Structure formats: C-alpha cells, structure tokens
C-alpha cells in the first residue's frame, strides 16, 4: 500500500528550509480517478469533441471572459457570476455560497451549520444535506455551489469552525465525499474549499502557514483528496500562503498535488479577491479569478499579447471550466430542467440534521429529558431564533421560530421567560438625556443631514454600553461622540465586513454596533451627526449599564427559582473574517449561568456556539446540550431533543478544552496566531484529539463524546486483516429502557514497523446506529488502508503501518471500552 509520485509532484511544498527532496524515480502510482479514467495523472483531461470545438471557436477575449467573475446582470444576489458566450451557446455560470444552504437574495432552506451535520457522524445524512442544497441551488438559478468547506478545526478560536466539519481528517473526508455526491447528484457543481490550510481567520489574507509535507498529506489534505475522488467539479484556493507561496498560485499544491497526484480534472478558482498575479498564477494551475478580473481580465490579455503567457495555458484553464460544464450538461442543453424548490423537503432535512447532531454533553440527575413541570426559559437567544453564523455561510431562511415559541408549543406545564442579558439595549431614559431622543428611532431623509447636541447626565459611576442600531451600509452609520470621542469609529480594511449572524443585527433587521466605557457621575456631552445618504437612514441609540445588567440577572434568578426546571440559552456569535480571542462565553453569560444554576440546579444550558466553550459552571448545571447554529428548524429540533421526542444523536467532532491554556495552540504564538506573518503547524500530525493524547492533557469533553438518554454496552470484539483494510467487529447492546442512538468509534494505535512519530491513536472508523431497548447488533467497521498508513517523505507516498497494532472500541476518544491487538498487513486475524 504505497504509491509514489511523478517528478512534478515532488516540487517543493515549502519555501526555504523545509524543502522536499525531488522524487528520485519517475515511477507512478495512479491517483484513483485518473487511473479509473485510464489517463496519466498530470495529463490534461481528455476533452470531449464539443469542448475541443468550442476552444477552437472562441476568440481569445471570449476565452478570457470565462476565466474571471463579473457583475450579474440579473442581480440574484449570489457571490459570483461568470458571463457565458451566447454566440456559441456557452451559458453563464452563477456561483452561490455556501456551506449551510444557498445564499442568494431570495429565501432558501437555512440548514444547520456543517459542524452540526458532522456531529451526526452520518455520511448518508451528509449526502441528503447535499441534495437539499443541490436542488435548491439549481432552483434558485445557480450552477456552482461554493461549498463544502473542509479545512480542519485546528484551533478553538477559528471563526469558521461552525462552517467546517471536524478536527479529524477521516471524519471530514467521509462527510465531504458524501455531501459532494449529494450536491452534484442534483446537477449543481460543488466547490471544495479553501485549498489549503485556511484553519484560522486571523490574518487569513496574509498569513504564511508553514507545514511539513507529511503533516500536510496526513492531516489537512485528506478531505480535499476525498472531495476530488468524489468528483468535485471545482476547488477554491485559500487566501493564505502555504510554505511561502500564496495558495492561489502554489504550483506544488495546484498542480503537484491536485492534478498530478490526485488526477483532478475540474477547475480551480480563487477565494474572493485572493488572486495575486497573472502569469505566475495561471502557470501554477489557477484557472479562474473571482469575483472580478483584476489579474485574469485585461492583464491576462496583455500577458498573452506580450508573449509572457502562451495561449495554450489560457486554453488549458478554459478547457477545464468547459469540461466540467459539459459533464453537467450545461453546454448541450442536456442538464435536467431547473426544478422548483421543495421547501417542505428542505425543512424536513434541516430538522432531521439538527436533531441528529444535537450533542448532549452532560446530563446529571436525569435533568433531561424535560418533565411536565413548569419551565423557565432564560437568555436572549431563548426568544430570538439563532439560525446561522455570520459571513458567507449566512442564508436567508424561509422562516425562523424562537426556541421559546417551540418550547411553549411542546410543554405541558407553564412556561415563563426572562431575558437575562440585554443584547440590544434599552432607550436612554428621558431624564438622563436632554433633549431626549425618540424611542422608536430617528429617521433622516435622503440627502439631508441631522445633528444632535445634548447632555447625558449620569448619577453614579457605572459601566455603560452604548448600542447603535442603524439601517444601510456600515460605513454610512451616524457619527456619535461622547465628550468628543467617537463611539463607533469605522474599522479600516475589511473590518466592517464581517459581523456575527445574530448579535450583529436587531430582530427588526438593523445593523448593530456596541461601545462600552466607564462613565463618571455628572454631565457628559453627546453629539450625533447622521447623513440621510441616497436612500435615507433610520437609527436608534440604546444603552445598558451595570445597573440594568444586574437587574436582568436578578429577574432571571427570580424566574428560575419559581420554576420546576430551567432551560438557559447561551450564545456565541461567530463569523468568517475574524477569530475569537477566548473560549469564554461573551458578555456576562458566565455570571448569568452561575446565578441561575445556583437558584435552580435543574438547569439545562443550551449552547448556540460555534465551537468549543469553557464551562467553569459545568458542575452546577443539570445538563448541557450543544446545538451550535441549528438552522431554520433549530427551535423545533431543540424542543424535540430537550423533551426526549428523539434521542440527541450527536457526538463532538472537536475536542473541547478545559480553558484557554490547555489546547493544541495554547501558549505558542508561533503556532497560533503566528508571529511575523508566519504560522507554524508545529503540532505536526498531532492535530485535535491526537494532540491531547500525545501530551496527556485532559480535555473538558473529548472528541467523539456525546450522551444518549439510554445506555449502550460493547462486547465480543474481533479484528481481521483483509485486502480492503482492517475489519473490526463488535456487538452493541442498548442496555437502557429507551430507544436511542449510539456512535461507537474504533481507534487504532501506532505501527512499530514504522519508525515515525505517530499519533497515540487515530480514528479508524465509526458507525451510527439506532437500537431499541434491549436490542443488540453486530457491527463491522472497516479501517481503510489509508487510515493505517503514514506519508513517507523519502518516497513521497503512503506506507502501510504493518505489524500488530492496538485497536480500541469506545464511545469517545477517551471512553475506550474494548481493546484488542490486530495484525495489519499479514493476513492474520486478531482477537481480544
Ligand atoms: C469566503 C468564501 C466564500 C466567498 C464568496 C469569501 O470571503 O472565504 O468561503 O465562498 O467569500 O462569498
């Protein structure tokens, strides 16, 4: 089980010191897709006669117009558009985000965040999730989907951890392959992204990720390779550099790995504004610049005219785009007609995924399922639908209910509600502000300027949060000054572009900015200048203080005390374009949870968060349910799992650390967020749960953890080496009194035949199953040879880790219940 690479693939993946030695031999082991099609990796895909004819008929300018984005005349609201060439019957391409549903101006099914899908550990569900997006994308006039995202969860801070799947390469690979199959089965072209190493948002536009060849292949690239094997039509290059070279012009990645090694025959586009050159990028293997033509428009024409780029490279890129269009029937009208949306079917899958991924982290004293007694719902996100994260994964949902409504609809006893934390502020009392501001807000007519000069009188020293609500573009917001200091200055660069999906917008759709400062007693001068711009402006200035916050907590405590049981909704609002700086819940939520759990220990905390959270209050809670961003059916799903209408079927796809000091990138700025523009992937192959095992660090919750309302026992393990890998068998029994979902996991230890620093254990496989009370089922999990292999940097290929290896079967990476030895590679069976 080893293969070697063509010479080209041995191009240095690294700038400078870590450069890989060129492959000594020219022998090839074919990448599966290339092999299946009987062609050599690296060779241009066999173009159909239709594509050849088109290439001959297109003018150079027409060809270039197919290699970059342009504004969409139909303005459907998608992220990108490539005009077609009507004279030759080449239709335009519309490219829409994204990972949790189709992001256009019109509503679409807002599916649960991909991390919630991944938590179900169910490739078949991923396929159906992909099918919903595939059908809707086509129904909404789109041709290409800018998804799935498969960059690994490497740091708990990364702003897009909700948008991707997991910290584990195998799980990510399984899911991306299944989702792409689903998307493309509906005729929408998938784009796996962001190739590669876009594992953090901090400095994403500039950071240079240094990673060694073995780590790259064993860790981050595995899911991308699976996407290529699944036939993804397109790949999106990342913003960052990899080993000193921009990902979007990285020949080692775009040609060496993608084409030569894996036999990819689709096209590579940039992330949005991620191109950096013309000839360099085109020759390195980039095919399309998005969303405009800064480098691949007039500049490309000039490069060809001046002889810096041979036209055959333009043809190569155009040929790749056209070949995919042809494969999807877009060139000869053979694509099936665009379907109508099937909103009820989309909603059903959205509900199913949110229930299947709901991850019960703790359940003490039978707190869950909820009983029929009175219920207090607490927290701002209890009454607000928290559908999705921010950035390009945001979808306009068909509808969205609040958990409070869903819990009320389901509960038998009385349901009360307390806000607990005021996210959007209250009007500044008339007595404190002279002259007063209109409570409902101020409208400034188009073309006019509105000014205000007043006095804010503060009675006692306190911490004030000013909350500005405004319509229109972020940069057109009013200027608000307190004692001469601007409260909401415009952030430079892309700083204003990305805000969270929830707390960045008021329930009635206005943008929000917050500023917190300590105010001394006495009079403060407040001045406002607001411009109506071209379409008018509506704004409100609200506030919260230490005193109002204390009052909100006190009311929550009263409400909790009077109820039999409590569900407290906690939030954290992530978006692409920025990372968190801590895993502590934002705002005063820890204080709220401490106070409420002290008042009523039968409190369930529901986490609508993007990724890992520190839980200093964990032991005081009755239960903790991780729901991430659950999509438009999230409220119904949350109510269903809390009341036990279904078993919470999710398991963690990432390790939750105890705090900010105990996780793979803690305490080493070179590792994260990087120093002097360089981020070192120095944990090597020990990503995620592997790092906790290698370092002997106790997590708060391990990878693979998630409770059921019933219990399961495993026994009778066997292991048998076959040509297709290691077959691990065991029996799972539901030992409780309810039907429930289990996800037993198989882990495999290192091979002593390989003299390499290997993980303590890797995830070998898993199986999701539903069992009735008392039911037993024999399960077989096949651990693929790839999972049992390491990347050999001398031969630039995979080498199987043969010999006796330990196999564990467990309910998480730390709840390993059965252990046996198995022989890998010699045909022997192993038994416990
Ligand atoms: C994101 C991509 C997205 C693109 C288009 C970029 O900022 O990184 O994931 O597909 O925008 O919206």
């Amino acid at each position: 089980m080893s293969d070697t690479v063509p010479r080209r693939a041995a191009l240095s993946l690294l700038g400078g010191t870590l450069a890989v030695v060129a492959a000594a031999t020219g022998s090839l082991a074919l990448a599966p897709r290339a092999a299946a099609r009987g062609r050599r990796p690296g060779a241009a895909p066999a173009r159909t006669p239709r594509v050849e004819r088109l290439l001959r008929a297109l003018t150079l300018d027409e060809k270039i117009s197919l290699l970059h984005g342009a504004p969409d005349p139909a303005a459907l609201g998608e992220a990108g558009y490539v005009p077609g060439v009507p004279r030759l019957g080449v239709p335009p391409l519309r490219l829409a985000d994204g990972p949790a549903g189709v992001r256009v101006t019109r509503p679409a099914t807002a599916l649960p965040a991909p991390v919630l899908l991944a938590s179900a550990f169910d490739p078949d569900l991923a396929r159906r999730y992909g099918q919903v997006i595939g059908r809707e994308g086509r129904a909404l006039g789109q041709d290409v989907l800018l998804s799935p995202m498969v960059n690994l969860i490497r740091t708990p801070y990364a702003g897009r951890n909700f948008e991707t799947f997991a910290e584990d390469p195998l799980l990510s690979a399984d899911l991306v392959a299944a989702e792409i199959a689903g998307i493309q089965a509906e005729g929408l072209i998938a784009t796996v992204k962001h190739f590669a190493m876009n594992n953090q948002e901090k400095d994403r536009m500039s950071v240079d990720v240094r990673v060694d060849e073995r780590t790259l292949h064993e860790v981050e690239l595995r899911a991308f390779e699976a996407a290529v094997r699944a036939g993804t039509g397109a790949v999106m290059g990342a913003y960052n550099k990899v080993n000193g070279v921009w990902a979007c012009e990285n020949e080692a990645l775009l040609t060496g790995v993608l084409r030569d090694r894996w036999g990819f025959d689709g096209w590579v586009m940039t992330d949005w504004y991620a191109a950096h050159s013309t000839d360099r990028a085109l020759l390195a293997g980039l095919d399309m610049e998005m969303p405009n033509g800064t480098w691949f428009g007039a500049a490309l024409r000039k490069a060809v005219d001046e002889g810096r780029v041979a036209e055959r490279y333009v043809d190569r890129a155009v040929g790749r785009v056209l070949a995919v269009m042809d494969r999807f029937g877009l060139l000869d009208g053979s694509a099936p007609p665009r379907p109508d949306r099937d909103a009820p079917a989309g909603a059903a899958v959205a509900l199913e995924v949110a229930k299947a991924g709901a991850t019960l982290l703790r359940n003490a004293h039978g707190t869950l399922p909820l009983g029929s007694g009175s219920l207090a719902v607490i927290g701002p996100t209890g009454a607000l639908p928290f559908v999705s994260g921010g950035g390009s994964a945001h979808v306009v949902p068909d509808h969205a209910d609040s958990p409070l409504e869903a819990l009320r609809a389901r509960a038998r006893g009385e349901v009360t509600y307390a806000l607990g934390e005021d996210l959007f502020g209250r009007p500044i009392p008339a007595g404190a502000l002279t002259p007063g501001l209109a409570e409902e807000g101020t409208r400034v007519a188009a073309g006019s300027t509105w000014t205000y000069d007043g006095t804010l009188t503060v009675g006692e020293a306190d911490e004030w949060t000013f909350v500005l609500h405004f319509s229109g573009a972020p940069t057109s917001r009013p200027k608000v000054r307190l004692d001469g200091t601007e409260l909401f200055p415009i952030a430079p660069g892309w700083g204003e572009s990305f805000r969270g999906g929830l707390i960045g917008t008021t329930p009635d759709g206005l943008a929000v900015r917050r500023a917190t400062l300590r105010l001394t007693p006495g009079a403060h001068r407040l001045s406002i200048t607001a411009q109506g711009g071209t379409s008018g402006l509506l704004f409100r200035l609200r506030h919260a203080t230490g005193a109002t916050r204390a009052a909100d907590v006190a009311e929550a405590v009263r409400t909790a005390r009077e109820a039999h049981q409590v569900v407290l909704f906690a939030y954290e609002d992530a978006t692409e374009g920025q990372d968190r700086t801590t895993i502590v819940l934002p705002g005063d939520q820890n204080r709220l949870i401490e106070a409420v759990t002290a008042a009523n220990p039968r409190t369930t905390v529901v986490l609508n968060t993007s990724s890992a959270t520190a839980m200093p209050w964990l032991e005081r809670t009755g239960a903790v349910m991780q729901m991430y961003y659950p999509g438009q059916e999230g409220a119904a799903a949350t109510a269903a799992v809390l009341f036990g209408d279904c078993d919470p079927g999710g398991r963690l796809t990432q390790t939750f650390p105890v705090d900010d000091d105990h996780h793979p990138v803690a305490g080493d700025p070179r590792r994260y967020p990087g120093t002097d523009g360089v981020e070192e992937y120095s944990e090597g192959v020990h990503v995620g749960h592997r790092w906790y095992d290698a370092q002997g660090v106790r997590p708060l919750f391990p990878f693979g953890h998630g409770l059921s309302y019933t219990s399961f026992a495993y026994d009778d393990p066997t292991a048998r080496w076959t040509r297709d890998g290691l077959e691990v068998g065991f029996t799972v029994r539901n030992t409780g009194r309810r039907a429930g979902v289990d996800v037993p996991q198989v882990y495999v230890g290192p091979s002593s035949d390989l003299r390499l620093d290997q993980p303590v254990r890797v995830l070998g496989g898993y199986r999701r199953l539903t069992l009735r009370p008392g039911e037993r089922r024999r399960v077989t999990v096949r651990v693929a040879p790839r999972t049992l292999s390491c990347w050999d940097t001398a031969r630039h290929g995979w080498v199987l880790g043969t010999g006796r290896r330990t196999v564990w079967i467990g309910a998480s990476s730390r709840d390993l219940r059965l252990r046996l030895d198995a022989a890998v590679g010699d045909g022997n069976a192993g038994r416990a």
Side-chain angles (χ1 to χ4, degrees), residues 743-781:
V743 184
Q745 299 145 45
V746 172
Y747 293 87
V748 185
S751 155
S752 52
D753 288 355
L754 296 181
R755 259 174 269 118
L756 287 172
D757 173 28
Q758 296 163 69
V760 174
R761 61 185 71 87
V762 296
L763 178 69
Y766 50 86
R767 175 65 48 78
R768 180 185 175 91
L769 63 165
T770 304
L771 295 182
R772 294 186 305 275
E775 187 181 351
R776 351 165 34 103
R777 193 167 315 156
R778 188 79 193 152
V779 172
T780 305
V781 169

Coordinates of all heavy atoms in Angstrom, one line a residue, residues 743-781:
V743 N -23.0 6.0 18.7 CA -22.0 6.1 17.7 C -20.7 5.5 18.2 O -19.8 6.2 18.7 CB -21.7 7.6 17.3 CG1 -20.7 7.7 16.2 CG2 -23.0 8.3 16.9
P744 N -20.6 4.2 18.2 CA -19.4 3.6 18.6 C -18.2 3.9 17.7 O -18.4 4.0 16.5 CB -19.7 2.1 18.6 CG -20.8 1.9 17.7 CD -21.6 3.2 17.8
Q745 N -17.0 4.1 18.2 CA -15.9 4.5 17.4 C -14.7 3.5 17.6 O -14.5 3.0 18.6 CB -15.5 5.9 17.9 CG -16.5 6.9 17.8 CD -16.6 8.0 18.9 OE1 -15.5 8.5 19.2 NE2 -17.8 8.3 19.4
V746 N -14.0 3.3 16.5 CA -12.8 2.5 16.5 C -11.6 3.3 16.4 O -11.5 4.2 15.5 CB -12.9 1.5 15.3 CG1 -11.6 0.7 15.2 CG2 -14.1 0.6 15.5
Y747 N -10.7 3.1 17.3 CA -9.4 3.8 17.2 C -8.3 2.8 17.1 O -8.4 1.7 17.5 CB -9.2 4.6 18.5 CG -10.2 5.8 18.7 CD1 -11.4 5.5 19.3 CD2 -9.9 7.0 18.2 CE1 -12.3 6.6 19.4 CE2 -10.8 8.1 18.3 CZ -12.0 7.8 18.9 OH -12.9 8.9 19.1
V748 N -7.2 3.2 16.4 CA -6.1 2.3 16.2 C -4.8 3.0 16.6 O -4.5 4.2 16.3 CB -6.0 2.0 14.7 CG1 -4.9 0.9 14.4 CG2 -7.3 1.5 14.1
G749 N -3.9 2.2 17.3 CA -2.6 2.7 17.8 C -1.6 2.6 16.7 O -1.8 2.2 15.6
P750 N -0.3 3.1 17.0 CA 0.7 3.2 16.0 C 1.3 1.8 15.6 O 1.1 0.8 16.2 CB 1.8 4.0 16.8 CG 1.5 3.8 18.2 CD 0.1 3.5 18.4
S751 N 2.0 1.9 14.5 CA 2.7 0.7 14.0 C 4.2 0.7 14.4 O 4.8 1.7 14.1 CB 2.6 0.6 12.5 OG 3.6 -0.1 11.9
S752 N 4.6 -0.4 15.0 CA 6.0 -0.3 15.5 C 7.0 -0.6 14.3 O 8.2 -0.4 14.3 CB 6.3 -1.4 16.6 OG 5.8 -2.6 16.2
D753 N 6.4 -1.0 13.1 CA 7.2 -1.2 11.9 C 7.6 0.1 11.3 O 8.5 0.1 10.5 CB 6.4 -2.0 10.9 CG 6.3 -3.5 11.3 OD1 6.9 -3.8 12.4 OD2 5.6 -4.2 10.6
L754 N 6.9 1.2 11.6 CA 7.3 2.5 11.1 C 8.0 3.3 12.1 O 7.5 3.5 13.2 CB 6.0 3.3 10.7 CG 5.1 2.7 9.6 CD1 3.9 3.6 9.3 CD2 5.9 2.5 8.3
R755 N 9.2 3.7 11.7 CA 10.0 4.5 12.7 C 9.7 6.0 12.5 O 10.4 6.7 11.9 CB 11.5 4.2 12.5 CG 11.9 3.2 13.7 CD 13.3 2.8 13.5 NE 13.4 1.5 12.8 CZ 14.1 1.4 11.7 NH1 14.7 2.4 11.1 NH2 14.2 0.2 11.0
L756 N 8.4 6.3 12.9 CA 7.9 7.7 12.7 C 7.2 8.1 14.0 O 6.6 7.2 14.7 CB 6.9 7.7 11.5 CG 7.4 7.6 10.1 CD1 6.3 7.5 9.1 CD2 8.3 8.8 9.8
D757 N 7.1 9.3 14.2 CA 6.4 9.9 15.3 C 4.9 9.8 15.0 O 4.4 10.6 14.2 CB 6.8 11.3 15.6 CG 5.9 12.0 16.6 OD1 5.4 11.3 17.5 OD2 5.8 13.2 16.5
Q758 N 4.2 8.8 15.5 CA 2.8 8.6 15.1 C 1.9 8.9 16.2 O 2.2 8.9 17.4 CB 2.6 7.1 14.7 CG 3.4 6.6 13.5 CD 3.4 5.1 13.5 OE1 2.4 4.4 13.2 NE2 4.6 4.5 13.7
P759 N 0.6 9.2 15.9 CA -0.4 9.5 16.9 C -0.5 8.4 17.9 O -0.4 7.2 17.5 CB -1.7 9.8 16.2 CG -1.2 10.2 14.8 CD 0.1 9.4 14.5
V760 N -0.9 8.7 19.1 CA -1.1 7.6 20.1 C -2.3 6.7 19.6 O -2.2 5.5 19.7 CB -1.6 8.3 21.5 CG1 -2.0 7.2 22.5 CG2 -0.4 9.1 22.0
R761 N -3.3 7.4 19.0 CA -4.3 6.6 18.3 C -5.0 7.5 17.3 O -5.1 8.7 17.5 CB -5.3 6.0 19.3 CG -6.1 6.9 20.1 CD -7.0 6.2 21.1 NE -6.2 5.6 22.2 CZ -5.8 6.2 23.3 NH1 -6.3 7.4 23.5 NH2 -5.1 5.6 24.2
V762 N -5.4 6.9 16.2 CA -6.1 7.6 15.2 C -7.6 7.1 15.1 O -7.8 5.9 15.5 CB -5.5 7.5 13.8 CG1 -4.1 8.2 13.8 CG2 -5.4 6.1 13.3
L763 N -8.5 7.9 14.7 CA -9.8 7.4 14.5 C -9.8 6.5 13.3 O -9.3 6.9 12.2 CB -10.8 8.6 14.2 CG -12.2 8.2 13.9 CD1 -12.9 7.6 15.2 CD2 -13.0 9.4 13.4
G764 N -10.2 5.2 13.5 CA -10.2 4.3 12.4 C -11.5 4.2 11.6 O -11.6 3.9 10.5
G765 N -12.6 4.4 12.4 CA -14.0 4.4 11.8 C -15.0 4.5 12.9 O -14.6 4.7 14.0
Y766 N -16.2 4.5 12.5 CA -17.3 4.7 13.4 C -18.6 4.2 12.8 O -18.6 3.9 11.6 CB -17.5 6.2 13.7 CG -17.5 7.0 12.5 CD1 -18.7 7.2 11.8 CD2 -16.3 7.5 11.8 CE1 -18.7 7.9 10.6 CE2 -16.3 8.1 10.6 CZ -17.5 8.3 10.0 OH -17.6 8.9 8.8
R767 N -19.6 4.1 13.6 CA -20.9 3.7 13.0 C -22.1 4.3 13.8 O -22.0 4.2 15.0 CB -21.1 2.1 13.0 CG -22.4 1.6 12.6 CD -22.7 1.8 11.1 NE -21.6 1.5 10.3 CZ -21.3 0.2 10.0 NH1 -22.0 -0.8 10.3 NH2 -20.2 0.0 9.2
R768 N -23.0 4.9 13.1 CA -24.1 5.5 13.8 C -25.3 4.5 13.7 O -25.6 3.9 12.7 CB -24.6 6.8 13.1 CG -25.7 7.4 13.8 CD -26.2 8.6 12.9 NE -27.4 9.2 13.5 CZ -27.4 10.1 14.4 NH1 -26.3 10.7 14.8 NH2 -28.6 10.6 14.9
L769 N -25.9 4.1 14.9 CA -27.0 3.2 14.8 C -28.0 3.5 15.9 O -27.7 4.1 16.9 CB -26.5 1.7 14.9 CG -25.8 1.2 16.2 CD1 -25.7 -0.3 16.2 CD2 -24.3 1.7 16.2
T770 N -29.2 3.1 15.6 CA -30.3 3.3 16.5 C -30.8 2.0 17.0 O -31.1 1.1 16.1 CB -31.5 4.0 15.8 OG1 -31.0 5.3 15.2 CG2 -32.7 4.4 16.7
L771 N -30.9 1.8 18.3 CA -31.3 0.5 18.8 C -32.5 0.6 19.8 O -32.5 1.6 20.5 CB -30.1 -0.2 19.6 CG -28.8 -0.5 18.8 CD1 -27.8 -1.2 19.7 CD2 -29.2 -1.5 17.6
R772 N -33.4 -0.4 19.7 CA -34.5 -0.4 20.6 C -34.0 -0.9 22.0 O -32.9 -1.5 22.1 CB -35.6 -1.4 20.1 CG -36.2 -1.0 18.8 CD -37.4 -1.9 18.5 NE -36.9 -3.3 18.5 CZ -36.4 -3.9 17.4 NH1 -36.2 -3.2 16.3 NH2 -36.0 -5.2 17.5
P773 N -34.8 -0.6 23.0 CA -34.3 -1.1 24.4 C -34.0 -2.6 24.3 O -34.8 -3.4 23.7 CB -35.5 -0.9 25.3 CG -36.4 0.1 24.5 CD -36.1 0.0 23.1
G774 N -32.9 -3.0 24.8 CA -32.5 -4.4 24.8 C -31.9 -5.0 23.5 O -31.4 -6.1 23.5
E775 N -32.1 -4.2 22.4 CA -31.6 -4.8 21.1 C -30.1 -4.8 21.1 O -29.4 -3.9 21.6 CB -32.1 -3.8 20.0 CG -31.9 -4.4 18.6 CD -32.4 -3.5 17.5 OE1 -33.1 -2.5 17.8 OE2 -32.0 -3.7 16.4
R776 N -29.6 -5.9 20.4 CA -28.1 -6.0 20.2 C -27.9 -6.0 18.7 O -28.7 -6.6 18.0 CB -27.5 -7.2 20.8 CG -28.2 -8.1 21.7 CD -27.6 -9.5 21.9 NE -26.2 -9.6 21.9 CZ -25.5 -9.7 23.0 NH1 -26.1 -9.7 24.2 NH2 -24.2 -9.8 23.0
R777 N -26.8 -5.5 18.3 CA -26.4 -5.6 16.9 C -24.9 -5.8 16.7 O -24.2 -5.1 17.4 CB -26.9 -4.3 16.2 CG -26.9 -4.5 14.6 CD -27.6 -3.5 13.8 NE -28.9 -3.1 14.3 CZ -29.5 -1.9 14.1 NH1 -28.8 -1.0 13.3 NH2 -30.7 -1.7 14.5
R778 N -24.6 -6.6 15.8 CA -23.2 -6.9 15.4 C -22.8 -5.8 14.4 O -23.6 -5.5 13.4 CB -23.1 -8.2 14.7 CG -21.7 -8.7 14.5 CD -21.1 -9.2 15.7 NE -19.6 -9.4 15.5 CZ -18.8 -9.3 16.5 NH1 -19.1 -9.1 17.8 NH2 -17.5 -9.4 16.3
V779 N -21.7 -5.1 14.7 CA -21.3 -4.0 13.8 C -19.9 -4.4 13.2 O -19.1 -4.9 13.9 CB -21.2 -2.7 14.7 CG1 -20.5 -1.6 13.9 CG2 -22.5 -2.3 15.2
T780 N -19.7 -4.0 12.0 CA -18.4 -4.2 11.4 C -18.0 -2.8 10.9 O -18.7 -2.2 10.1 CB -18.5 -5.2 10.2 OG1 -19.0 -6.4 10.6 CG2 -17.1 -5.4 9.6
V781 N -16.8 -2.4 11.3 CA -16.2 -1.2 10.9 C -14.9 -1.5 10.1 O -14.1 -2.2 10.6 CB -15.9 -0.2 12.1 CG1 -15.1 1.0 11.7 CG2 -17.2 0.2 12.8

